[in-house]
Amino acid sequence: MSIELKKSYKWSMVVPTSMGVRITPVNGQPVHSSDTFQMQATSAETNVASIASYLACR
């Protein structure tokens, strides 16, 4: 596999990322007293890279 970067841009950013799954009780309840949970997909690395790309100098 190879990554091809566009040549017409001054800056390029490649972000290795991973997806995580968070399972938490609803309404902020403690885990030991809840029987209902919600699942969320997370990706902190991509969020950080988005901020950096929005602030980039042009």
Side-chain angles (χ1 to χ4, degrees):
M1 181 176 132
S2 65
I3 298 174
E4 184 176 328
L5 302 177
K6 295 182 178 182
K7 310 245 186 284
S8 60
Y9 293 100
K10 184 175 181 179
W11 302 97
S12 295
M13 184 185 309
V14 177
V15 180
T17 186
S18 61
M19 294 300 293
V21 175
R22 180 185 306 142
I23 300 173
T24 57
V26 295
N27 300 325
Q29 296 178 349
V31 173
H32 65 276
S33 64
S34 181
D35 61 355
T36 306
F37 295 86
Q38 62 183 5
M39 184 171 59
Q40 300 171 323
T42 62
S43 177
E45 298 91 349
T46 306
N47 294 337
V48 171
S50 296
I51 294 169
S53 68
Y54 294 142
L55 297 176
C57 296
R58 300 192 195 289

